[in-house]
Amino acid sequence: MSVFFTNLSDPRNTETALFLEGGSTINVGTVQADIDKLAAMLEPGSRVSIYCQSTRLFLIALAAVWRSGSTAILPATDKSGYLDEIGQQFDTHLDDVRIADLLGNPNDPETANDPHDTIADARSCKAIFFTSGSSGIPKPIIKTLAQIEDEIKTQSLLWCPLMQERSRVIGLVSHQHIYGLIFRVIWPVMNRQVTRAEPAPFWEMVLAELGTGDMLVTSPAQLKNLHPDLIHAPRPALVLSSGGPLDLPTAQAATKMLGTCPTEIYGSTETGGIAWRQQQGENTPWHPLPGLDTGLNDDGCLRVRANHIAGDDWYQTQDRVDINIDDHSFVLKGRADRVVKIEGKRVSLGAVEEHLRQSDLVEDAVALLAHEDDQRLAVVAVLTDTGQTELQKRGRFRMGRLLRRDLAQFEDDAALPQRWRFVDALPTDSQGKKPLHLLRALFDDNGNTLPAVSSQTRDGNSLSMTLALNSGMTCFKGHFPGQPILPGVVQLHWAALFGASLFGSSRNVSEVSQLKFRKPITPTDVIKLELDYDAAAGRLKFCYRSDEADLHSSGTLKLRTPDTYQGDVA
C-alpha cells in the first residue's frame, strides 16, 4: 500500500494544507482533484517527461502519470539540446504551461475508470532520473515509489522527532533530482507537512519565508554562500544538505549563521540516502541510516544493503571507507575508481587531493587528466589566503613547483602534477557536483590564445564563466599600442571554442547575427562570458559582461556541421 497515494486520497485529509503559493494555501483536496483530472487525460502505459518550476504542478503531474499506469521521465534540465539528447526516452513532455493548460480545460475528459478510485501500487510507479557522472552522457536510473517511500520511512525515524507540529519544508534545491524529489514532493505528503510551491534557489527568496522550527533542504553550494541576514532569521529545526560532503569550515560557519548544525546525507541517485553526519570536528564519521547494513569488499570499498536500495541484495559502491566495527560508522577515504596510470604506475587521484588539502596553502583541489591523450597529471586548486599571497609573490609556475615539493613527501614522481590551474572556486553544475568536462575545460587554453577560467557554473546547455585576462596574452599585442583592447573577432573565436569544448558543439561558424559591441574589453577587466547552446537549431548565443549591468558585447553564432566547414572564425 502506498502511503503517498493513501494520504492524497484519504477524505479526512481533504482540507489539510499542502502548499503555500503566493499568498494562498492550497489543500490536499484541490491537489487531488487536479491529479484525477490530469490522469484521465494521459495515455496509459506511456512515458511522460516532466519538468516544472512549480512543485505543486510537478507533484500533480507525477502523481497523475503514476495513477494512469505510465512512467515518469525526470530530465535534469529543460534545455532543448538536453531534451533532444534524451528524446528517445519519452513519448510526451509536460511543463508548467502545458499542465496549466490541461488543468484549465473546462471540459473534463471522458474516462471509463475514475483514477481516484484506485490507489496505485507503489512498486509499479517508476521514475527515471538521469545522471551523467564524469562522462557527461545522460545515464538513466530507475527508482520506484516503493523505494522512495521505504527511504522516507527510514529517515522519518531520525528527523520527524525534531519537527514541531507546524514545521514546514523550505527547499532551495530542485525537485527534479532524487534528493529534492524525496524531501520537497513525497515527504510533505507522507508526513503531512506544508511546503512552498514556487522555486526558491536563493537565500533572498527564503529569508521572508523561514519560520522557527522549519526544515531547510539545501546543498553544499548554497551553504557555502549564506546570506548575511540569516544570522537574524528564525532558527530552523533541521538543515539538510546533500550532493557532496561539506568541508568543516563551511559546516561550522553554517552552524553559527543558522543556529543549527547542517545534517549531511551521503548517497547517490542510484542508492538514495545511505548515511548521515553532523560535523563537530575533523573526520566526523558517517552514521548508516536505520536498518541499513554495511560491509567492505576486498578493495576496502563500501557495500550497502537496505530495502530502498536493492532489497536483500548488496549494492557495491566505489567509495573506499574505514568502518568502525563497534557502531558501523565510517569515514570516507576517496573513490577507488579514481585511479589512473601515469608512466606505468597507478596513481590515486583521491590521495593526491587529500595530501594537497593538508597544505596550509590549499583549501580544496581536484586532480585529473586534463585530456584523454595527455598523461600529465593536472590539478585545479582553490588556495587559502596564505596560498593566494604566495601565488601573487611567486606566479603560477613557481607556485606549482612549491606544491609539487610538498606532495613529494607523500607521492612518487609519477603522482606529482605538471599542470596547474588556480581558481577562486571549483566549477560546479546546478547540483553542486564537479563534472569532469567542466574541470577539463579549464585546461583548454590552446597555449596562450584562450584565457584561464577562474570560476564556472553550468545548468544544462547554459553556462557562465569568469575569464582571467592579462596584458601578456597574444590577443592584446598590437591592438592597440598603449591602450590594448580585445579584438571583436577574438571574442567570437573564444565563444566558439569554449562552446565546442563544453557543449560538444561545432566550432565552425557559418553566420554571425544580432552582433553588438557596446564597450571595449581591456586586460584589466574581470569578464564573465555567458553561453547558451541550442543544439536543435545549431546556434550558440554569447555575451561578455563585467557585471550584471555592464554589457560589453553579445551575438549569436550559427554553427556549421564539420562536413560543410570552410574555415575557423579568426
Side-chain angles (χ1 to χ4, degrees), residues 243-504:
L246 288 174
D247 58 82
L248 181 58
T250 296
Q252 292 173 330
T255 302
K256 181 178 180 180
M257 184 71 73
L258 297 167
T260 304
C261 183
T263 299
E264 301 172 65
I265 299 176
Y266 157 68
S268 66
T269 303
E270 292 89 340
T271 64
I274 291 175
W276 65 277
R277 72 173 181 180
Q278 288 183 312
Q279 290 195 72
Q280 306 295 340
E282 295 286 348
N283 295 319
T284 299
W286 296 88
H287 302 279
L289 295 177
L292 184 140
D293 298 324
T294 60
L296 296 176
N297 68 2
D298 293 340
D299 295 324
C301 292
L302 179 70
R303 59 176 186 159
V304 293
R305 183 171 61 188
N307 285 338
H308 71 272
I309 299 176
D312 293 331
D313 296 328
W314 287 94
Y315 180 91
Q316 183 63 61
T317 78
Q318 293 298 312
D319 292 322
R320 295 184 296 108
V321 301
D322 286 339
I323 293 182
N324 184 322
I325 60 174
D326 294 327
D327 62 3
H328 304 289
S329 63
F330 56 86
V331 176
L332 294 172
K333 304 299 288 185
R335 296 279 294 181
D337 55 358
R338 297 189 66 237
V339 175
V340 297
K341 273 197 172 183
I342 299 177
E343 299 175 4
K345 296 184 178 180
R346 290 170 59 86
V347 173
S348 169
L349 301 180
V352 172
E353 295 163 359
E354 187 175 347
H355 291 140
L356 280 170
R357 294 187 192 106
Q358 292 176 12
S359 168
D360 62 355
L361 303 175
V362 177
E363 179 178 310
D364 202 358
V366 175
L368 68 153
L369 296 181
H371 302 284
E372 293 292 346
D373 57 353
D374 187 348
Q375 291 301 296
R376 294 173 297 170
L377 187 61
V379 165
V380 181
V382 178
L383 301 177
T384 62
D385 291 342
T386 302
Q388 288 286 357
T389 301
E390 286 295 321
L391 176 63
Q392 294 173 9
K393 182 171 65 177
R394 296 171 180 268
R396 189 171 74 180
F397 176 77
R398 292 177 62 203
M399 186 68 181
R401 293 285 297 270
L402 174 62
L403 293 175
R404 276 172 56 91
R405 287 199 297 270
D406 288 346
L407 273 175
Q409 302 175 56
F410 309 98
E411 303 285 353
D412 292 334
D413 289 348
L416 300 182
Q418 299 183 51
R419 304 188 68 186
W420 297 86
R421 291 293 182 269
F422 301 108
V423 298
D424 295 331
L426 295 175
T428 60
D429 60 17
S430 61
Q431 296 303 300
K433 297 183 179 181
K434 299 178 278 291
L436 182 60
H437 65 277
L438 292 185
L439 295 163
R440 282 180 165 175
L442 298 176
F443 295 89
D444 285 341
D445 57 7
N446 294 339
N448 204 29
T449 63
L450 281 179
V453 179
S454 60
S455 64
Q456 186 171 223
T457 58
R458 179 172 179 171
D459 181 5
N461 281 351
S462 293
L463 183 83
S464 177
M465 60 178 72
T466 302
L467 308 180
L469 309 182
N470 64 79
S471 58
M473 299 178 70
T474 305
C475 54
F476 285 113
K477 294 180 180 178
H479 191 85
F480 295 95
Q483 192 175 5
I485 63 173
L486 185 66
V489 69
V490 174
Q491 297 177 41
L492 302 182
H493 188 55
W494 285 358
L497 290 180
F498 277 121
S501 173
L502 296 166
F503 300 130

Side-chain angles (χ1 to χ4, degrees), residues 164-180:
Q164 300 176 10
E165 184 177 350
R166 298 185 181 275
S167 293
R168 301 167 304 162
V169 178
I170 307 294
L172 287 86
V173 301
S174 170
H175 51 235
Q176 294 288 144
H177 302 269
I178 184 65
Y179 169 54

Side-chain angles (χ1 to χ4, degrees), residues 141-181:
I141 303 295
I142 301 175
K143 304 290 286 188
T144 67
L145 177 58
Q147 289 175 297
I148 295 171
E149 289 194 356
D150 280 340
E151 178 174 351
I152 290 177
K153 291 172 186 176
T154 296
Q155 296 215 39
S156 293
L157 298 173
L158 296 171
W159 318 136
C160 283
L162 303 177
M163 300 292 102
Q164 300 176 10
E165 184 177 350
R166 298 185 181 275
S167 293
R168 301 167 304 162
V169 178
I170 307 294
L172 287 86
V173 301
S174 170
H175 51 235
Q176 294 288 144
H177 302 269
I178 184 65
Y179 169 54
L181 174 73

Side-chain angles (χ1 to χ4, degrees), residues 424 452 454-455 465-470 476 520-529 544-548 550 552:
D424 295 331
S454 60
S455 64
M465 60 178 72
T466 302
L467 308 180
L469 309 182
N470 64 79
F476 285 113
I521 297 175
T522 70
T524 59
D525 289 324
V526 178
I527 293 296
K528 180 178 290 186
L529 170 59
Y544 290 85
R545 303 179 186 274
S546 53
D547 57 47
E548 292 300 323
D550 206 352
H552 288 262

Side-chain angles (χ1 to χ4, degrees), residues 4-306:
F4 174 74
F5 277 111
T6 298
N7 284 358
L8 285 174
S9 304
D10 191 337
R12 294 172 296 180
N13 292 340
T14 300
E15 299 302 322
T16 301
L18 180 55
F19 287 110
L20 297 174
E21 190 169 74
S24 303
T25 299
I26 298 173
N27 60 35
V28 171
T30 301
V31 172
Q32 179 59 62
D34 285 338
I35 293 170
D36 289 347
K37 183 173 184 177
L38 184 59
M41 300 180 186
L42 300 176
E43 183 70 28
S46 60
R47 302 169 303 168
V48 183
S49 169
I50 308 170
Y51 193 93
C52 296
Q53 296 298 320
S54 166
T55 302
R56 175 179 63 87
L57 292 178
F58 178 86
L59 184 151
I60 290 168
L62 181 66
V65 166
W66 283 340
R67 182 156 284 178
S68 71
S70 300
T71 297
I73 309 296
L74 304 182
T77 178
D78 63 345
K79 299 298 181 182
S80 59
Y82 182 89
L83 292 178
D84 289 341
E85 199 170 13
I86 65 169
Q88 293 183 341
Q89 302 279 351
F90 59 87
D91 305 307
T92 188
H93 180 69
L94 296 178
D95 57 16
D96 299 79
V97 174
R98 179 60 176 156
I99 296 167
D101 285 346
L102 291 172
L103 295 177
N105 186 343
N107 299 316
D108 288 338
E110 294 182 4
T111 177
N113 298 309
D114 182 355
H116 182 75
D117 291 340
T118 303
I119 295 179
D121 182 351
R123 293 168 297 181
S124 64
C125 296
K126 295 179 181 178
I128 299 180
F129 299 85
F130 292 89
T131 178
S132 59
S134 60
S135 67
I137 300 174
K139 171 187 173 185
I141 303 295
I142 301 175
K143 304 290 286 188
T144 67
L145 177 58
Q147 289 175 297
I148 295 171
E149 289 194 356
D150 280 340
E151 178 174 351
I152 290 177
K153 291 172 186 176
T154 296
Q155 296 215 39
S156 293
L157 298 173
L158 296 171
W159 318 136
C160 283
L162 303 177
M163 300 292 102
Q164 300 176 10
E165 184 177 350
R166 298 185 181 275
S167 293
R168 301 167 304 162
V169 178
I170 307 294
L172 287 86
V173 301
S174 170
H175 51 235
Q176 294 288 144
H177 302 269
I178 184 65
Y179 169 54
L181 174 73
I182 287 173
F183 286 104
R184 293 192 59 203
V185 180
I186 311 298
W187 174 287
V189 175
M190 290 181 62
N191 288 300
R192 297 182 175 87
Q193 285 184 267
V194 178
T195 187
R196 167 61 65 181
E198 297 97 341
F202 306 111
W203 288 111
E204 290 83 352
M205 301 176 178
V206 171
L207 279 166
E209 299 290 337
L210 187 61
T212 300
D214 285 346
M215 180 170 81
L216 275 176
V217 186
T218 69
S219 71
Q222 289 153 340
L223 292 177
K224 288 182 179 180
N225 294 281
L226 295 171
H227 194 286
D229 290 347
L230 284 167
I231 193 69
H232 306 297
R235 306 289 85 179
L238 183 67
V239 179
L240 296 177
S241 174
S242 189
L246 288 174
D247 58 82
L248 181 58
T250 296
Q252 292 173 330
T255 302
K256 181 178 180 180
M257 184 71 73
L258 297 167
T260 304
C261 183
T263 299
E264 301 172 65
I265 299 176
Y266 157 68
S268 66
T269 303
E270 292 89 340
T271 64
I274 291 175
W276 65 277
R277 72 173 181 180
Q278 288 183 312
Q279 290 195 72
Q280 306 295 340
E282 295 286 348
N283 295 319
T284 299
W286 296 88
H287 302 279
L289 295 177
L292 184 140
D293 298 324
T294 60
L296 296 176
N297 68 2
D298 293 340
D299 295 324
C301 292
L302 179 70
R303 59 176 186 159
V304 293
R305 183 171 61 188

